[in-house]
Amino acid sequence: MAKTKARKTQDIAAPIIHGAEDLPSVIVDNYNIELRDKDGFIGDRARKSAFLEKLDEWRKRVSKGGDDPLGDKPTKELSKKKIDALLHGEDKEAAALIIGAIDDFAGELTHVLSRYLKQENWKQTERVVVGGGFRESAVGELAIARAMVLLKAEGCKIEVVPIQHHPDDAGLIGAAHLMPAWMLKGHEAILAVDIGGTNIRAGVVELRMKEAPDLSKARVWKSTLWRHADDAPRRGATIEQLVDMLKDLIGKAEKANLIPAPLIGIACPGIIEADGSIDRGGQNLPGGNWESERFNLPEELTKAIPEICDHPTFVIVHNDAVVQGLSQIPFMQDVSGWGVLTIGTGLGNAHFTNRNAPEKPKSKSEAKS
């Protein structure tokens, strides 16, 4: 089930809550749509592993008529960098094989997008931004462009574009847009965390609001990555490691005289409740049982880090696709309704309506009246 807004409001003076629908610059119309067809969740057809499955299918088909141009290494062991190199390499047969997989994957992505665009909150979409790890590759960018071409060919007048920031940075920078301006005022940076099923990334986001009050110049000053999938830690050990990562970053920021605000923004998979707990969707998080009624991530972090630079710590949590999408806000001011897809281990999704939406040009009939 998706998280969908109950109402639209311009009142942003309400208390800050986790998983909020009403944010300073946008209304989160919905996120985490879980549409199904006869084969299961349609989003599974456009996740990163789905591209690898398409590539593997092409390799098997080509091998029936001769040697596999990609060699003997199993598809799952081919890195993004290696596949990109083959795409742009001198072996045109290998490149053509990869293009075949890209085209098939783009068709699936187009199908998924078409289904989303039929949902009530997506009907007025003008642009869809694509992020996630798959976007940060030549193959991913080509698949995104191909999907846009296919949508145009179907008469669908929306843009499909890669996310502006590197996806790793977007998942951190977006956290700054969870906070109202008064919470950021007088501060140069905040702490941000992006928790996924494979990695946890924590970073210091330099706000640079003197250069751009809309946060368009915000950047990740320093970050650290922990690939927890290699360690298979318990949930408690995961939190301990995350706390150590954050304390290390706080120390580095203080030494550099980049004093962070007492704020930690968290991007996390799943449906986020107002108290910061995860209702569902956190089954792939390290150690499991993140959806337990007896576990609350914001409370755990504020206990472990009660103060940042002598001020009480404030933690705010939202869905990871929402947070990655929020990083795009400064670059979406020319549209009203827009969506985000994050292609990674799964397919994340969210839809937004800008608070300061541009006025639509009047039709001829409206102009006459």
Side-chain angles (χ1 to χ4, degrees):
M1 296 292 290
K3 179 73 172 181
T4 305
K5 68 173 177 24
R7 60 187 174 86
K8 292 186 179 181
T9 176
Q10 294 300 318
D11 179 14
I12 58 173
I16 305 299
I17 61 173
H18 304 282
E21 298 156 358
D22 297 323
L23 294 175
S25 299
V26 296
I27 295 164
V28 183
D29 300 311
N30 58 28
Y31 67 87
N32 208 59
I33 295 177
E34 296 174 325
L35 300 179
R36 293 176 178 266
D37 60 15
K38 60 182 179 62
D39 298 317
F41 291 114
I42 67 165
D44 290 346
R45 298 164 63 167
R47 57 185 179 178
K48 182 174 66 175
S49 61
F51 169 75
L52 295 177
E53 289 168 6
K54 298 293 184 188
L55 183 59
D56 205 48
E57 288 170 8
W58 270 102
R59 295 182 71 183
K60 289 175 181 176
R61 287 156 63 186
V62 168
S63 295
K64 291 179 181 178
D67 294 334
D68 181 348
L70 302 193
D72 298 327
K73 183 174 284 191
T75 302
K76 64 182 180 180
E77 295 180 14
L78 294 174
S79 66
K80 285 188 295 185
K81 186 177 291 187
K82 177 62 176 177
I83 295 173
D84 281 354
L86 290 166
L87 177 64
H88 297 301
E90 295 182 0
D91 188 336
K92 300 309 174 187
E93 186 182 354
L97 188 154
I98 294 169
I99 289 171
I102 290 171
D103 200 48
D104 287 353
F105 178 82
E108 298 287 10
L109 179 58
T110 302
H111 172 74
V112 172
L113 263 171
S114 297
R115 285 286 304 274
Y116 286 164
L117 293 169
K118 291 176 182 176
Q119 302 304 300
E120 188 61 35
N121 287 317
W122 284 68
K123 286 183 178 178
Q124 302 304 315
T125 302
E126 297 168 71
R127 187 177 299 148
V128 175
V129 179
V130 183
F134 185 67
R135 170 259 183 269
E136 193 56 29
S137 64
V139 164
E141 291 194 350
L142 193 54
I144 294 166
R146 178 61 175 161
M148 182 168 174
V149 168
L150 292 172
L151 284 167
K152 282 183 174 180
E154 294 176 1
C156 185
K157 297 180 180 179
I158 68 164
E159 292 180 272
V160 183
V161 298
I163 202 163
Q164 186 87 3
H165 297 286
H166 188 290
D168 291 342
D169 291 349
L172 300 176
I173 292 171
H177 292 274
L178 292 170
M179 322 288 182
W182 64 265
M183 293 185 78
L184 302 176
K185 191 173 181 181
H187 297 287
E188 297 179 330
I190 67 165
L191 294 159
V193 178
D194 188 2
I195 303 174
T198 302
N199 303 313
I200 292 179
R201 187 180 299 274
V204 177
V205 176
E206 188 178 3
L207 302 172
R208 305 171 81 190
M209 294 181 70
K210 290 181 180 178
E211 297 179 46
D214 65 354
L215 295 171
S216 59
K217 298 292 186 181
R219 66 181 181 185
V220 176
W221 174 74
K222 193 174 291 293
S223 68
T224 181
L225 175 71
W226 174 37
R227 185 179 167 84
H228 60 73
D230 295 335
D231 300 330
R234 293 177 180 270
R235 188 185 67 195
T238 299
I239 301 304
E240 289 176 6
Q241 178 67 20
L242 174 56
V243 168
D244 288 344
M245 292 165 70
L246 288 168
K247 288 181 175 179
D248 181 62
L249 287 166
I250 293 169
K252 288 178 178 177
E254 289 178 329
K255 282 184 180 179
N257 204 29
L258 186 67
I259 308 303
L263 307 171
I264 304 174
I266 309 285
C268 188
I271 300 295
I272 310 301
E273 296 289 2
D275 65 352
S277 61
I278 302 173
D279 179 59
R280 60 187 181 277
Q283 64 273 8
N284 294 323
L285 293 176
N289 208 27
W290 287 59
E291 299 165 5
S292 169
E293 293 180 358
R294 291 177 291 180
F295 175 74
N296 184 283
L297 179 59
E299 290 179 3
E300 294 290 330
L301 289 180
T302 50
K303 284 178 187 175
I305 309 176
E307 291 186 346
I308 297 175
C309 300
D310 299 323
H311 294 284
T313 301
F314 181 86
V315 179
I316 187 164
V317 182
H318 216 310
N319 172 266
D320 54 353
V322 170
V323 175
Q324 194 164 144
L326 293 179
S327 72
Q328 194 76 8
I329 286 175
F331 317 108
M332 304 297 281
Q333 295 307 299
D334 58 330
V335 298
S336 175
W338 53 284
V340 61
L341 297 181
T342 57
I343 303 175
T345 305
L347 183 73
N349 61 80
H351 196 275
F352 308 93
T353 297
N354 285 337
R355 288 192 174 278
N356 299 316
E359 284 191 25
K360 300 290 183 186
K362 292 183 178 180
S363 65
K364 290 182 180 179
S365 59
E366 289 175 326
K368 288 180 181 178
S369 62

